[in-house]
Amino acid sequence: MPRAEPGTPKWLANKMKAKGLQKLKWYCQMCEKQCRDENGFKCHRLSETHQRQMQIFCQDANKFMDDYSSMFEKEFMRLMKTKYCRTRILANTVYTNMISDKTHIHMNATVWVTLTDFVLYLGKTGKCKIEETERGWYIEYIDREKIEREKAFEQRKKIEYSYEELKEKKINEAIEEAKKTGKFIQSEYTGLNKKSDEKIVISSIKATRRESSASKAGVNVLIAKALSKGEEGKGHVADSLPDKRFSVENDVVKGAAKKRPLSSIELLLLENEAKKRVTNTAANLKNQQNSHSEMEEKQQEKDEKGNPPTGKQYSWLCKNIVVKIIDRKHKYCNHKGVIVSVPSDERDKCEIQLNNSEKKKTSAHQKQLQTVIPKIGRHVLILRGQYRGLRGEVKQILPDEESALVAIFDKHSGKVTTEERLLFDDISKLHER
């Protein structure tokens, strides 16, 4: 019987019948098709489409089972996280809510045979708290993100608490050190001394703030003066600060904080801060000088590499290397030969023994010559750079980059020490007798 065309009354009737959930045993997960009765499911199993899908399934059954299982678990945990978070609920209730969606992944396509097996899996992996009762399995979602947030908060709290303890410890150490050196002045409390006709004036909070700001301003001025003096030398300021402690105290008391003099602890802290700032200033100046000198050296090396000396100051000519004459005005243009001698007074000129001729010799300037690159496996002599004068073997030729990969031999042992990529102008074929 042909299938009903879309839009016809028969098609609409079939859609209305198929609306809602059907029996699970008549559902094919591979084809994602729900049959309404046993006869329809039997016909579907015998169809060509189902047979092709089953052949694909048999090729790698474990892969399909794992994929369906992960999809089922992901959907179940999404429902637990969003709808049943922080709630102890029956597992069957969550499963019923999940399968209410017609397009859900059926459990018969997963590795779990029953819902109990799936609940035990959630408890074993620590994703949910499980509890077995007379009514069934109860589950409760474990919020891992909340646990991580709480751990981070506790750790941050410990760090802040340890910082406060460290600060208090430093203050106590400063007090003990001041007591040992005799610079600590214990505060003394006296009674109220006033005349009978004298009025008692209580200052407001605003006035106290003004005084404290004035005292801070005076202290900042003194520290700035100490730092300005410290630019002349680190040791000079470090030695002068302890001697002038009492003068600093007098200046602060007279100028900015007449009503509230600084205590010994505050003076010690100010001295320590001034010393640290002077030390840091001197260290920064030294680091800047070192970095500046390093930059100048690097720039000088870069300039030397980028602009090598020319003429008599620099010559790449060496004996026993093969060169090619490229000057068209030369008598033996495009001829190759071996350099047999290089005059000591004129390093940019040489005498060349032409190839295939034992008697013919000619002289040429290095501007008229070009280096010769041998085949792979042949030996070359390095003419420029840090490996000048060493021998090497050509491993790879890169014509597009006008360079070659050369294995460099040690001068004494003759073993390969390193491999470098050198330009064609920096190497030349070595004449092997």
Side-chain angles (χ1 to χ4, degrees):
M1 185 176 179
R3 183 174 295 180
E5 295 182 1
T8 59
K10 183 66 175 176
W11 176 82
L12 186 60
N14 290 338
K15 284 291 181 183
M16 292 175 66
K17 289 178 183 178
K19 189 176 182 180
L21 297 176
Q22 305 291 329
K23 286 190 176 182
L24 182 62
K25 63 180 181 178
W26 295 334
Y27 182 81
C28 178
Q29 184 66 61
M30 283 296 296
C31 303
E32 297 182 1
K33 180 175 176 60
Q34 176 69 58
C35 300
R36 289 199 295 270
D37 52 17
E38 187 175 357
N39 185 39
F41 187 64
K42 179 181 177 182
C43 294
H44 171 70
R45 284 188 301 166
L46 298 175
S47 64
E48 184 180 356
T49 306
H50 179 75
Q51 295 296 329
R52 284 199 302 267
Q53 292 292 332
M54 292 309 297
Q55 288 178 1
I56 296 172
F57 176 80
C58 292
Q59 291 177 2
D60 195 353
N62 293 329
K63 178 179 177 297
F64 284 99
M65 295 284 284
D66 292 340
D67 291 343
Y68 286 134
S69 300
S70 62
M71 292 167 66
F72 180 84
E73 180 186 355
K74 185 177 180 181
E75 184 64 24
F76 192 91
M77 294 305 297
R78 185 191 65 80
L79 200 61
M80 286 293 299
K81 183 179 180 180
T82 55
K83 192 171 183 179
Y84 301 108
C85 185
R86 304 185 188 90
T87 305
R88 181 174 172 270
I89 192 168
L90 273 171
N92 196 31
T93 305
V94 184
Y95 179 71
T96 304
N97 196 346
M98 179 182 172
I99 64 175
S100 61
D101 183 10
K102 189 177 179 180
T103 60
H104 75 279
I105 303 297
H106 289 65
M107 185 171 280
N108 62 352
T110 64
V111 295
W112 303 289
V113 180
T114 61
L115 183 62
T116 302
D117 295 340
F118 179 65
V119 171
L120 292 174
Y121 163 78
L122 294 179
K124 186 177 180 180
T125 54
K127 296 179 180 178
C128 291
K129 294 179 182 178
I130 61 174
E131 182 183 356
E132 187 179 10
T133 62
E134 295 179 356
R135 294 186 59 189
W137 286 94
Y138 276 89
I139 58 176
E140 184 179 355
Y141 179 71
I142 299 175
D143 193 355
R144 294 291 176 185
E145 295 180 358
K146 182 182 177 182
I147 295 172
E148 293 295 331
R149 287 196 300 269
E150 290 177 354
K151 286 183 179 179
F153 177 74
E154 292 294 333
Q155 189 175 5
R156 191 163 57 250
K157 195 174 180 181
K158 286 181 180 179
I159 292 172
E160 292 176 356
Y161 181 71
S162 61
Y163 175 74
E164 293 294 334
E165 283 186 343
L166 182 63
K167 190 175 180 181
E168 186 177 355
K169 185 179 179 181
K170 285 185 178 180
I171 293 173
N172 293 332
E173 288 178 355
I175 293 172
E176 293 295 331
E177 186 178 354
K179 285 181 178 179
K180 290 179 181 179
T181 55
K183 297 179 181 179
F184 181 74
I185 301 174
Q186 185 70 31
S187 57
E188 297 179 359
Y189 299 95
T190 58
L192 182 62
N193 298 324
K194 76 178 190 67
K195 298 178 181 179
S196 58
D197 57 346
E198 187 179 356
K199 293 182 179 180
I200 299 174
V201 180
I202 300 174
S203 60
S204 62
I205 298 174
K206 188 178 290 186
T208 306
R209 287 180 179 175
R210 287 177 183 173
E211 292 172 5
S212 61
S213 62
S215 62
K216 287 181 181 178
V219 171
N220 291 333
V221 170
L222 292 171
I223 292 173
K225 289 181 180 180
L227 288 174
S228 62
K229 292 179 181 179
E231 292 178 356
E232 299 175 359
K234 175 184 172 183
H236 178 70
V237 176
D239 296 336
S240 63
L241 280 172
D243 297 334
K244 296 183 179 181
R245 181 174 64 85
F246 295 103
S247 63
V248 169
E249 181 181 359
N250 293 332
D251 292 339
V252 172
V253 171
K254 290 178 182 178
K258 293 182 180 179
K259 295 184 179 180
R260 182 185 174 278
L262 295 175
S263 63
S264 301
I265 297 174
E266 291 174 343
L267 289 172
L268 288 172
L269 292 175
L270 288 176
E271 288 179 7
N272 291 332
E273 288 179 1
K275 288 179 182 179
K276 288 179 181 178
R277 291 186 183 182
V278 171
T279 305
N280 294 334
T281 304
N284 291 334
L285 289 173
K286 189 175 181 180
N287 292 333
Q288 289 178 2
Q289 291 176 357
N290 293 335
S291 61
H292 185 66
S293 60
E294 289 178 0
M295 288 176 64
E296 287 182 350
E297 290 177 359
K298 289 181 180 179
Q299 186 65 28
Q300 186 176 0
E301 291 178 0
K302 187 176 180 181
D303 294 340
E304 290 178 356
K305 290 181 180 179
N307 301 314
T310 58
K312 295 183 179 180
Q313 296 179 357
Y314 183 81
S315 175
W316 54 267
L317 299 177
C318 296
K319 291 176 65 176
N320 297 328
I321 63 170
V322 181
V323 293
K324 181 180 180 181
I325 302 172
I326 57 173
D327 189 5
R328 294 182 179 180
K329 297 180 181 180
H330 199 278
K331 182 180 179 181
Y332 298 102
C333 181
N334 293 329
H335 282 67
K336 294 181 181 179
V338 182
I339 298 178
V340 293
S341 65
V342 180
S344 58
D345 54 345
E346 293 181 344
R347 299 290 298 174
D348 52 356
K349 293 182 180 180
C350 64
E351 188 176 358
I352 302 172
Q353 175 75 45
L354 298 178
N355 289 348
N356 301 326
S357 177
E358 297 181 357
K359 296 181 180 180
K360 288 185 180 180
K361 293 183 180 180
T362 183
S363 61
H365 194 276
Q366 67 175 3
K367 293 181 180 180
Q368 299 174 314
L369 304 176
Q370 186 184 46
T371 59
V372 176
I373 307 302
K375 296 180 181 179
I376 296 175
R378 297 294 183 88
H379 289 180
V380 294
L381 186 68
I382 302 174
L383 309 175
R384 293 187 179 91
Q386 59 177 338
Y387 301 107
R388 174 181 167 85
L390 298 180
R391 297 186 178 188
E393 182 181 344
V394 178
K395 294 294 184 181
Q396 186 181 2
I397 298 176
L398 306 170
D400 296 337
E401 301 179 5
E402 295 185 357
S403 61
L405 184 64
V406 180
I408 302 172
F409 300 130
D410 186 62
K411 188 175 182 180
H412 302 287
S413 63
K415 296 181 180 179
V416 177
T417 57
T418 182
E419 290 187 358
E420 294 288 340
R421 192 171 68 178
L422 303 174
L423 297 175
F424 287 164
D425 293 338
D426 297 343
I427 57 175
S428 188
K429 180 181 178 181
L430 188 64
H431 178 63
E432 298 176 356
R433 297 178 182 178

